[in-house]
Amino acid sequence: MTAYANQMKAYIEKYMAESGNEGLLDPHAVAEWAYHRGLHKPSVRTIVDAIASDIARFFREEYRTSPNGQRYRAKHAVRVKTGDKTMSLWADMDDQRAPREHFVRSFAQRRQQIVGDCFQLKTDVDVYNGKFPSQAPIQIPLDFTYDVEELQLPINGKKAA
């Protein structure tokens, strides 16, 4: 664990001890608590990262509707590594200057994220079920074929989002 991660872990534990929380943590409440106690002082880099995070959130949340009524996400990111720095580069689907290869890579990376999320979900469920063997095991199906098909069904004569 990095020094920064150890620092965060220490003040999270202190927050938990002082706040008497009931096992649920709100990262914003912890951050506000740490900031007001001088435990976490944001650097210029932290502030720039926060603004960049807001911009990326805006990109992720920008949806448009195609001529045939399909709601689609307009901007897509590709994670690239340059030297020891990793960054996300975004392109707009409606910008004809954006290379097709960007979207091929973006869609492949998003699919890989979904696979990773499913793997971690299965691991988490398996561990939880192992910790409570006397309870009925939680079942999480990972085949999304029917879920996607259901979302594609017409609603009032229109395709779903």
Side-chain angles (χ1 to χ4, degrees):
M1 206 180 284
T2 66
Y4 179 71
N6 284 330
Q7 176 188 1
M8 279 200 305
K9 183 177 184 203
Y11 66 67
I12 290 167
E13 289 171 355
K14 190 172 181 180
Y15 169 83
M16 290 170 61
E18 286 185 20
S19 69
N21 89 26
E22 300 171 6
L24 302 174
L25 292 171
D26 172 4
H28 287 89
V30 177
E32 185 175 346
W33 176 90
Y35 178 76
H36 288 300
R37 282 167 179 71
L39 299 172
H40 191 104
K41 296 178 180 132
S43 66
V44 172
R45 181 78 191 150
T46 302
I47 294 166
V48 168
D49 286 346
I51 295 167
S53 178
D54 288 346
I55 291 168
R57 185 178 310 109
F58 168 77
F59 287 164
R60 276 190 302 278
E61 294 173 358
E62 185 176 356
Y63 283 81
R64 298 184 189 133
T65 303
S66 72
N68 65 351
Q70 292 175 296
R71 188 170 180 261
Y72 66 98
R73 200 168 107 193
K75 293 182 173 55
H76 295 268
V78 169
R79 301 276 295 165
V80 295
K81 190 169 175 111
T82 306
D84 62 345
K85 185 178 178 184
T86 302
M87 69 177 95
S88 293
L89 298 177
W90 291 81
D92 190 307
M93 285 179 62
D94 295 329
D95 185 343
Q96 294 186 5
R97 298 169 299 168
R100 180 181 191 278
E101 181 56 31
H102 176 88
F103 295 99
V104 170
R105 288 181 63 195
S106 177
F107 300 150
Q109 287 178 0
R110 282 181 57 204
R111 184 181 187 283
Q112 223 23 67
Q113 287 174 334
I114 293 166
V115 169
D117 284 346
C118 288
F119 174 78
Q120 190 60 58
L121 174 60
K122 180 171 182 350
T123 300
D124 296 345
V125 169
D126 290 348
V127 169
Y128 181 89
N129 287 339
K131 288 179 180 280
F132 302 97
S134 63
Q135 297 179 10
I138 295 172
Q139 302 292 320
I140 301 290
L142 298 177
D143 179 350
F144 300 103
T145 304
Y146 295 123
D147 301 85
V148 172
E149 287 175 359
E150 183 178 340
L151 290 172
Q152 290 178 316
L153 291 174
I155 299 173
N156 298 330
K158 293 183 178 179
K159 285 265 186 184

